Amino acid sequence: MCLKEITNKIRSMSLEEKIGQLNQAGLWDFELLCEEVRKGRVGSVILADSATAGNDEQQRVIIDQLNELQRIAVEESPSHIPLIFGRDIIHGYRTVLPVPLAAAASFNPDVVEKAYRAVAYEAANDGVHWTFSPMIDISRDPRWGRCIEGFGEDPYLTSKMGQSVIRGFQNADNKKGDSIAACAKHYLGYGAVEGGRDYGKAEISEYTLRNYYLKPFKAAIEADVATVMNSFSEISGQPVVSSRYLLHDLLKDELGFRGFVISDWAAVAQLVTQGVAKDRKEAAALSANAELDMDMVDGCYIDYLSGLVAEGKVSEETIDKMVYRVLYIKEKFGLFEHPFITRQKIDYQEHLELSKQCSDEVITLLKNKDVLPLDRSKKIALLGPFLHEKRSLLGSWTWDFDIRMVKSIAEVFEEYAGRELLVFPQSNYLWDDIIPALGDVDTVILALGESYRVSGENNCLANIDLPKEQLELAKRIKGLGKKVIGVFCFGRPIGLGEADIYFDAILYAWQAGTCAARSIVDIIYGKVNPSGKLPITFPRSTGQIPIYYNYHTMPRNGMGYYGEGSNYLDCCSTPMYPFGYGMSYTKFAYSEARCEKTALTLEELKNGKKFKVGVTVTNTGEYDGKETVQCYVRDLLATMARPVRELKGFSKILLKRGEFKEVVFELGSEELGFYNGKGEFCVEPGEFDIFIGGDCTTNNKIKITAVSETEN
Ligand code: GLC
């Protein structure tokens, strides 16, 4: 069906049929749903059983149910328009990938894209047309459980990772049956909720909104994301779900978004709870007039839009525009041509390999006092609450997995180095058992972590320091004079200020999916050289939050955070580990940053000319390894306070022992400009420091100048 035919189709539909397309229903009563579909009252079905699907087990997708619903829609409903089936395929299906925050630690969009392509195929093969992913909310607060679902604190990294996930889910054709429509969420500013409390309010200025929280959505639209989901939160008193400025003027008119907006779970009805709608009817009017296109499961649209149109409170023209967007996406993803699904055979081995490539590259080595990699012949002891764990290695927001594909850390160690292991069972650790059992073993692997149940939606923590019982275990093992290698399987960053001293090595394994344990063991024995870099700042303790690398210099020198001076009397101002940081088993040497031409006029920049700033990176160590070369920009003098650094480029390169490569970053208006407080993008004259190095604290810099015409 071409776009003109969509318009004609809409003209032929009754108002009730149109409103039916804007209603997403749940699948908890199959017979009732069949009746609703038959009457043309349903445009989409969400394959989730509860409001916090990420935390609860979910019914598996039953293809026969989907095909029967689709048959009724296509053959028996008044408009014969196919349904679009949506499900939260956040970071895996049968094959599970690292949680998204971990995926960002790979700094490798290509590896992530390929892995998400495999996940899209698995989901599409089960009849899922649409996923509510990627979540691209910038987050600077690890207390917020949903920080694991996003890609960290930086707009540029989040933009690149969000685009790679969208490209993974959606392919150029979109009609080959191996892609699913993606959904950029949660628009907008959800990650800024106060105190890391989920669903809370966010106070965000236009200045911050445009320079941080909006950027990943702009990038998602450039990647042609099919749908967008609103955030539950309110921005400075305005609930997003009823904001015409945010949902229509900014998202659709200014950014050119052509797909449709789906509400978050019952977000329309929740306007009543938020005290901005007196009842569900008024809530429906507010959201429809904001052009929130589809209503998830609360029935406000299907119950009231017809009456609201009759009362002149919502125009039929508005309904037509919303319906057009929905049909446009259904057409784009081939639902009219291929409404039914026939399952194909899948080679899961190939998908596992892609998941393993991801988990290899996300695991981040934070500390190594010459203990890693281990020699396979060395006798070691394995201890800790995560040693035999499987489910939590997969993280929150995943239920379609096959747990038989998952091995525990202990199982993989035993496969790899069986005879030289002292493996402690999963039981209460009785010290009078451990101490004699450890005997002369001088190296202990401590497998630590958090349950997937304490991150994700509405699972926020007031204290994100290493759990006390795990800290105690580390202290006591260290107290025996052993070398302690910590393997940390947490979804979020944790406060390591008190714990760090008890570890000789810290391997932050995140919750890295189906192949997590295989990657952990391969890295410990040096089969894989770790290359992860932190996508989010690691505080020393909860009290430092929020602490992030792209902060604004404070008015009094020495009062900055992230290392300048101190803000607290009882804590130094540096983070435990900075944004972009991660070690390798090898060493990388950086040449001084250099630049072809260190001055360009504003006119040249406006005409697309760019600064070319580069370095030569050499592998000077004993192992082949991957390094993420990072480029940061600092605007030294501007009409608004600007961050001390902003990531504007990164390149992950493989260097064999002794090899060197040149890495060049091109910086133009997009990278040097910013949105002022009035939402205007501006590139101002003046000097910029360009930093290139292995993390955000690098001082390898070069100065460039944007010259105004008057100075020239
Ligand atoms: C939840 C989440 C959202 C998810 C949706 C459907 O409340 O906020 O991210 O996609 O409902 O499960």
Side-chain angles (χ1 to χ4, degrees):
M1 177 189 279
C2 72
L3 303 187
K4 184 165 174 35
E5 288 168 314
I6 292 178
T7 307
N8 295 335
K9 178 72 183 173
I10 293 171
R11 282 203 191 104
S12 70
M13 292 164 71
S14 70
L15 176 61
E16 282 63 24
E17 288 168 42
K18 295 176 192 176
I19 293 168
Q21 288 301 309
L22 309 181
N23 178 39
Q24 181 180 65
L27 205 165
W28 29 81
D29 181 331
F30 182 68
E31 293 313 320
L32 175 65
L33 181 57
C34 287
E35 268 321 293
E36 287 291 277
V37 171
R38 188 167 283 114
K39 292 172 186 164
R41 291 168 49 86
V42 180
S44 170
V45 178
I46 179 172
L47 307 175
D49 308 336
S50 58
T52 52
N55 304 330
D56 316 321
E57 293 318 307
Q58 300 293 307
Q59 172 185 295
R60 290 278 168 123
V61 175
I62 302 171
I63 279 196
D64 294 347
Q65 280 192 339
L66 303 192
N67 279 331
E68 174 56 10
L69 286 165
Q70 198 66 294
R71 185 196 63 74
I72 295 170
V74 169
E75 294 175 6
E76 300 179 22
S77 78
S79 61
H80 308 294
I81 294 174
L83 299 164
I84 183 167
F85 296 116
R87 188 172 173 88
D88 291 285
I89 317 288
I90 305 303
H91 58 97
Y93 197 71
R94 207 67 80 231
T95 307
V96 180
L97 309 180
V99 294
L101 185 58
S106 72
F107 278 78
N108 193 330
D110 292 343
V111 161
V112 169
E113 180 179 334
K114 290 188 179 76
Y116 273 83
R117 172 64 44 77
V119 167
Y121 185 66
E122 291 181 4
N125 197 42
D126 257 12
V128 179
H129 300 131
W130 174 27
T131 176
F132 306 120
S133 175
M135 194 265 231
I136 51 176
D137 298 304
I138 303 277
S139 172
R140 297 165 160 172
D141 193 333
R143 293 172 295 184
W144 187 48
R146 304 202 75 167
C147 71
I148 65 126
E149 297 175 53
F151 299 105
E153 70 189 42
D154 181 75
Y156 182 81
L157 176 60
T158 298
S159 297
K160 293 300 177 189
M161 299 313 285
Q163 288 182 327
S164 65
V165 169
I166 291 162
R167 283 194 299 267
F169 280 135
Q170 303 177 179
N171 62 43
D173 180 314
N174 286 337
K175 295 185 179 178
K176 288 194 303 187
D178 67 350
S179 70
I180 55 178
C183 180
K185 74 183 187 184
H186 305 77
Y187 180 84
L188 186 54
Y190 192 12
V193 287
E194 276 181 341
R197 295 180 191 85
D198 210 352
Y199 313 129
K201 83 179 180 89
E203 283 295 350
I204 311 175
S205 66
E206 184 76 11
Y207 179 63
T208 301
L209 196 76
R210 285 179 173 273
N211 288 304
Y212 287 97
Y213 298 100
L214 185 66
K215 285 199 166 177
F217 287 91
K218 187 168 181 287
I221 292 164
E222 287 160 4
D224 208 16
V225 70
T227 65
V228 165
M229 182 185 291
N230 75 284
S231 76
F232 285 122
S233 45
E234 42 136 307
I235 296 180
S236 311
Q238 171 61 56
V240 174
V241 71
S242 58
S243 165
R244 183 168 179 84
Y245 166 66
L246 290 172
L247 294 177
H248 177 268
D249 305 348
L250 182 54
L251 182 69
K252 295 174 179 175
D253 274 1
E254 183 178 331
L255 297 184
F257 173 57
R258 295 185 304 159
F260 69 85
V261 180
I262 174 79
S263 79
D264 200 341
W265 189 282
V268 175
Q270 284 166 188
L271 283 170
V272 180
T273 315
Q274 282 174 292
V276 294
K278 68 175 184 301
D279 55 26
R280 291 172 66 244
K281 180 176 181 180
E282 186 181 17
L286 288 170
S287 293
N289 285 322
E291 294 196 25
L292 177 117
D293 301 302
M294 187 181 280
D295 175 23
M296 185 186 284
V297 307
D298 61 25
C300 290
Y301 278 13
I302 198 70
D303 288 351
Y304 298 107
L305 278 187
S306 184
L308 287 164
V309 171
E311 294 163 21
K313 290 179 180 165
V314 175
S315 75
E316 186 152 3
E317 185 199 357
T318 298
I319 303 284
D320 288 353
K321 285 162 70 180
M322 292 152 69
V323 173
Y324 182 90
R325 286 175 178 269
V326 172
L327 300 193
Y328 166 71
I329 292 301
K330 288 186 173 182
E331 194 287 326
K332 187 172 181 184
F333 282 82
L335 298 191
F336 289 95
E337 289 98 320
H338 311 290
F340 304 105
I341 183 70
T342 311
R343 204 177 248 157
Q344 308 296 322
K345 187 163 171 34
I346 287 182
D347 170 10
Y348 285 106
Q349 193 47 44
E350 181 194 337
H351 292 183
L352 280 173
E353 269 317 301
L354 291 167
S355 179
K356 172 74 164 51
Q357 284 171 29
C358 264
S359 44
D360 284 351
E361 297 218 12
V362 309
I363 293 175
T364 310
L365 181 62
L366 296 178
K367 181 177 184 181
N368 185 17
K369 286 169 64 179
D370 295 328
V371 286
L372 289 175
L374 290 181
D375 185 290
R376 190 170 169 180
S377 62
K378 180 179 186 52
K379 190 167 179 61
I380 58 174
L382 306 179
L383 259 167
F386 254 66
L387 193 57
H388 304 275
E389 173 62 32
K390 292 189 177 185
R391 173 63 189 84
S392 283
L393 292 176
L394 306 181
S396 178
W397 281 104
T398 185
W399 346 264
D400 295 303
F401 54 83
D402 180 345
I403 200 69
R404 296 167 302 176
M405 295 159 78
V406 183
K407 288 188 182 293
S408 69
I409 294 170
E411 286 172 339
V412 177
F413 262 110
E414 282 164 338
E415 279 171 15
Y416 192 75
R419 65 186 182 287
E420 298 308 327
L421 289 177
L422 178 58
V423 183
F424 283 85
Q426 186 59 29
S427 62
N428 289 330
Y429 291 111
L430 296 174
W431 279 101
D432 40 14
D433 285 346
I434 289 178
I435 294 174
L438 281 174
D440 61 350
V441 171
D442 72 356
T443 301
V444 176
I445 306 266
L446 259 191
L448 308 171
E450 66 180 3
S451 164
Y452 74 97
R453 296 178 189 281
V454 298
S455 61
E457 184 170 359
N458 202 22
N459 291 330
C460 305
L461 295 178
N463 179 352
I464 55 109
D465 298 340
L466 182 68
K468 290 207 178 330
E469 67 282 3
Q470 298 188 29
L471 174 63
E472 187 56 29
L473 185 57
K475 270 183 187 172
R476 296 189 74 165
I477 297 286
K478 193 63 194 161
L480 299 174
K482 309 296 184 184
K483 289 199 173 98
V484 183
I485 296 166
V487 177
F488 290 72
C489 302
F490 291 79
R492 57 162 52 88
I494 57 166
L496 289 168
E498 190 182 350
D500 190 82
I501 192 171
Y502 299 109
F503 294 92
D504 297 278
I506 293 179
L507 196 61
Y508 215 78
W510 305 97
Q511 288 169 341
T514 304
C515 298
R518 292 183 182 90
S519 293
I520 289 165
V521 175
D522 281 352
I523 285 173
I524 284 178
Y525 284 112
K527 280 177 68 180
V528 170
N529 186 355
S531 63
K533 297 274 189 178
L534 295 181
I536 189 168
T537 297
F538 272 49
R540 293 176 181 279
S541 71
T542 306
Q544 283 187 303
I545 294 171
I547 180 168
Y548 47 89
Y549 88 93
N550 45 6
Y551 63 90
H552 296 178
T553 311
M554 292 187 181
R556 294 197 172 182
N557 286 337
M559 293 304 285
Y561 45 119
Y562 231 81
E564 298 168 25
S566 172
N567 315 106
Y568 306 110
L569 293 178
D570 58 350
C571 176
C572 63
S573 65
T574 53
M576 192 70 232
Y577 293 105
F579 175 85
Y581 172 81
M583 295 175 72
S584 171
Y585 290 149
T586 193
K587 298 277 178 244
F588 296 105
Y590 282 73
S591 72
E592 285 195 3
R594 52 181 178 270
C595 183
E596 214 171 70
K597 197 176 168 202
T598 56
L600 290 175
T601 66
L602 291 180
E603 193 60 26
E604 287 175 310
L605 285 165
K606 204 163 82 177
N607 296 332
K609 211 161 172 55
K610 299 191 177 199
F611 290 98
K612 294 182 174 60
V613 188
V615 287
T616 302
V617 186
T618 306
N619 180 344
T620 57
E622 298 305 311
Y623 293 84
D624 298 350
K626 292 185 178 180
E627 169 70 340
T628 298
V629 182
Q630 301 156 48
C631 177
Y632 296 87
V633 171
R634 178 176 192 172
D635 188 343
L636 293 170
L637 180 64
T639 51
M640 300 284 283
R642 302 295 302 135
V644 293
R645 304 211 173 173
E646 285 187 288
L647 183 70
K648 294 294 181 184
F650 61 84
S651 173
K652 188 164 194 176
I653 57 174
L654 169 64
L655 288 175
K656 296 191 179 310
R657 284 175 51 186
E659 189 183 11
F660 63 85
K661 276 182 188 162
E662 186 180 34
V663 178
V664 177
F665 296 99
E666 297 200 353
L667 305 171
S669 297
E670 179 58 32
E671 290 74 28
L672 302 180
F674 64 94
Y675 286 93
N676 64 18
K678 299 189 286 295
E680 299 152 349
F681 188 75
C682 39
V683 182
E684 297 181 345
E687 293 181 331
F688 299 78
D689 275 344
I690 310 300
F691 300 84
I692 301 185
D695 66 56
C696 73
T697 63
T698 180
N699 272 311
N700 185 20
K701 65 181 178 180
I702 189 166
K703 204 178 286 310
I704 62 172
T705 307
V707 182
S708 71
E709 282 64 36
T710 48
E711 289 169 70
N712 205 6

